[in-house]
Amino acid sequence: MAHPYLFWLAGAALLVGAGVLTALLPHRRAREEQRRTARSAARAAIDSAAVSRDAARGRVPEAERLLTRAESLVGGRGGADAARAAAGHARQADRLWREHR
């Protein structure tokens, strides 16, 4: 027959494992939701900047550089911070093109 302490050890390990999963799964789910939201906002900002680029009368090299940077950040496997940076670059490019009209 197995020693009684083995049952207590197995029960404690099971409780610790359940506690870790209970704490980590919602955090991971929230982080994934933030990443998706940030990437969606970045894509919307890039689309808006592309429309402004198409409507601009001439070239704005700084805005083109910013838009390229934003597209490369969103195209990579970056997280929410990279997507927020991409949205910032795209908004700034959009502003530059709007000022250039």
Side-chain angles (χ1 to χ4, degrees):
M1 183 150 189
H3 202 278
Y5 288 122
L6 289 177
F7 291 114
W8 283 102
L9 183 62
L14 188 63
L15 283 175
V16 168
V20 168
L21 285 177
T22 301
L24 290 181
L25 286 180
H27 176 69
R28 185 175 177 187
R29 192 172 295 136
R31 188 174 48 185
E32 179 64 25
E33 179 70 23
Q34 288 176 350
R35 186 187 66 79
R36 281 195 315 262
T37 302
R39 286 179 67 89
S40 177
R43 283 191 209 103
I46 288 170
D47 290 344
S48 178
V51 169
S52 294
R53 177 194 59 205
D54 294 343
R57 294 181 186 190
R59 292 186 65 227
V60 182
E62 178 66 16
E64 290 174 7
R65 185 188 66 76
L66 286 167
L67 184 60
T68 301
R69 179 74 177 138
E71 289 171 340
S72 69
L73 283 172
V74 168
R77 287 185 132 344
D81 291 336
R84 286 186 200 104
H89 291 319
R91 284 188 206 104
Q92 189 174 1
D94 186 31
R95 183 183 52 78
L96 289 171
W97 273 309
R98 287 176 189 260
E99 289 173 357
H100 189 68
R101 281 193 226 170

